[in-house]
Amino acid sequence: MWSKRAAGVASSAALALALLTGCGGGDDDAVTAEQGFKVPDLPAATAVGAPEGQVNIVNWAGYVEDGSTDPKVDWVTEFEKTTGCTVNSKVAGTSDEMVTLMKTGEYDLVSASGDASLRLIAGGDVAPVNTGLIPNYADVYPALKNQRHNSVNGVSYGVPHGRGANLLMWRTDKVSPAPDSWGAVFDANSPYKGNITAYDSPIYIADAALYLMATEPDLGIKNPYALDQDQFDAAVTLLKAQNGLIGEYWSDYTKELQAFSSGDSVLGTTWQVIANLAQADGAKVDVTLPKEGATGWSDTWMISSRAENPNCAYKWMDWIISPKANAAVSEWFGEAPSNAKACAETADPKHCATFHADDEDYFKQIWYWTTPIAQCLDGRTDIECVDYSEWTRAWTAIKG
């Protein structure tokens, strides 16, 4: 569905940002040094200088559109004309690929999801962001700022792009009664065995943990991304059992759309945009936020600690969260915008209502993807939690 913008413009301008130590406001949800999370001592910009002429971006498909996918979908061309910064885009298929690409030092920016951002911060691959240099940051929903996935010690490491939930979708002509719990995809006796789908990523272990948090309170899970060994083993056991029910794991949402449209999949985790597209194609599907809540994403634009084009990078971060551009990208991709003023700019006046843009009660039920680390993010200090490298190894074993 998406096409990527060609990259390859030669590197040119020298670094033009003066630097100092990172700045940013504090928040109770932020990761702190007291939790044992250590980060390299990297500076943040103090000023934005003359544009270097280009910016190199690693992004999710649909986040950097210049009209080549659809002539009507273009928020890059105006940016280039306004700033003089040519945009070179590299689409990444997974968070792991984003981390790998950012480690090369060849890219200035990344649209990182929460299962990548703390890895990038801890690895010194991204720098703190001086949000005072980004005027449109003032209009970002407060609930998206300085969260566990994009800040450490009260220091911001990026600007929020948008957010969404991982929902439960089913074929209304094949699944009855309508499910209201994630138990529907974990039921060992499910009549839909072989037609259930799940998201293909180690971070999906958190979905199992979230279900266990609600259904097996004796495990003591307080945060689906903060699992000690016993809690982690319980989630892995549940997912290994679920594997026998799965017809197909998905990461490319166009493939999930096809599977639900054809009936190969009738029940499983999804995104609101997939449901919208499936319904538009005539598929009999519906979605719900299950009673246990859900995992979800809040993507963050982060700047490389080795950015060769930091001035253009800062200009892009301000542009992509401006009301007009943020409305366009959130509507095209299918998510809630991060800028509160974007809702007045969407072509569909119901877009923000559909995606619960300003419904904080809705998003309080969402656990945004956050990189699991050894220091338990639920506040425990007397035990280590299982870090993301172990989640990755376990996921390979779960899928068999």
Side-chain angles (χ1 to χ4, degrees):
M1 181 175 180
W2 311 113
S3 66
K4 65 183 180 182
R5 185 180 176 85
V9 178
S11 174
S12 57
L15 181 68
L17 288 176
L19 302 170
L20 94 160
T21 57
C23 54
D27 189 280
D28 290 341
D29 272 342
V31 175
T32 65
E34 286 70 28
Q35 292 172 304
F37 189 75
K38 306 298 183 183
V39 296
D41 185 15
L42 294 170
T46 58
V48 177
E52 300 87 356
Q54 66 173 350
V55 61
N56 301 313
I57 301 175
V58 176
N59 56 276
W60 292 113
Y63 275 13
V64 183
E65 290 293 321
D66 64 354
S68 57
T69 302
D70 183 328
K72 298 178 181 178
V73 181
D74 183 0
W75 48 87
V76 169
T77 300
E78 187 177 351
F79 168 78
E80 292 178 327
K81 291 179 178 178
T82 301
T83 65
C85 301
T86 298
V87 174
N88 306 307
S89 165
K90 169 69 174 179
V91 172
T94 66
S95 287
D96 288 349
E97 185 180 356
M98 284 186 171
V99 172
T100 298
L101 290 169
M102 289 302 290
K103 286 185 178 298
T104 68
E106 297 175 6
Y107 299 92
D108 304 301
L109 284 170
V110 60
S111 61
S113 291
D115 56 336
S117 50
L118 286 185
R119 283 187 279 166
L120 292 167
I121 294 170
D125 300 304
V126 294
V129 169
N130 184 346
T131 56
L133 301 178
I134 303 172
N136 285 300
Y137 185 80
D139 297 315
V140 169
Y141 289 107
L144 290 175
K145 297 178 179 179
N146 287 353
Q147 295 298 305
R148 285 179 174 168
H149 56 272
N150 60 20
S151 65
V152 179
N153 297 330
V155 177
S156 175
Y157 278 80
V159 294
H161 169 94
R163 55 181 169 174
N166 297 315
L167 302 171
L168 178 60
M169 182 161 72
W170 68 96
R171 285 282 302 237
T172 58
D173 57 341
K174 298 179 182 295
V175 176
S176 182
D180 66 351
S181 166
W182 288 115
V185 300
F186 292 118
D187 180 6
N189 299 313
S190 174
Y192 311 111
K193 179 179 179 179
N195 298 110
I196 294 175
T197 188
Y199 189 58
D200 189 2
S201 169
I203 206 67
Y204 184 65
I205 294 172
D207 291 59
L210 181 140
Y211 177 66
L212 292 174
M213 185 165 63
T215 58
E216 295 191 24
D218 289 347
L219 285 170
I221 299 173
K222 303 299 182 185
N223 181 323
Y225 306 104
L227 306 177
D228 62 36
Q229 193 63 57
D230 289 342
Q231 295 166 340
F232 183 76
D233 290 345
V236 170
T237 297
L238 180 62
L239 289 168
K240 285 183 176 179
Q242 186 200 40
N243 177 260
L245 306 173
I246 298 296
E248 182 180 32
Y249 292 97
W250 69 275
S251 58
D252 180 340
Y253 79 65
T254 60
K255 291 183 179 179
E256 196 200 28
L257 172 62
Q258 293 167 359
F260 267 91
S261 295
S262 68
D264 289 341
S265 292
V266 303
L267 181 67
T269 185
T270 195
W271 300 335
Q272 183 68 55
V273 64
I274 301 174
N276 292 352
L277 292 170
Q279 290 168 345
D281 286 346
K284 296 178 180 179
V285 301
D286 202 354
V287 292
T288 190
L289 175 64
K291 59 187 179 183
E292 299 90 2
T295 60
W297 75 90
S298 175
D299 294 341
T300 303
W301 286 101
M302 312 180 86
I303 187 169
S304 171
S305 57
R306 293 178 285 170
E308 295 184 1
N309 307 289
N311 299 311
C312 282
Y314 262 81
K315 289 181 180 296
W316 174 265
M317 286 191 288
D318 188 50
W319 176 267
I320 199 61
I321 64 167
S322 64
K324 183 178 178 181
N326 199 225
V329 67
S330 65
E331 201 162 17
W332 175 247
F333 185 81
E335 62 187 346
S338 63
N339 190 320
K341 293 182 177 179
C343 292
E345 301 289 340
T346 57
D348 177 4
K350 296 181 180 179
H351 175 81
C352 283
T354 298
F355 290 89
H356 305 274
D358 59 357
D359 186 352
E360 296 305 336
D361 287 338
Y362 178 88
F363 281 107
K364 284 178 181 177
Q365 302 174 72
I366 309 304
W367 291 84
Y368 297 128
W369 283 342
T370 303
T371 307
I373 58 176
Q375 294 75 29
C376 296
L377 295 172
D378 59 6
R380 287 179 290 174
T381 58
D382 59 341
I383 193 170
E384 281 197 351
C385 282
V386 180
D387 69 15
Y388 191 75
S389 63
E390 292 299 322
W391 286 48
T392 301
R393 279 189 279 271
W395 186 245
T396 300
I398 287 166
K399 292 176 62 180

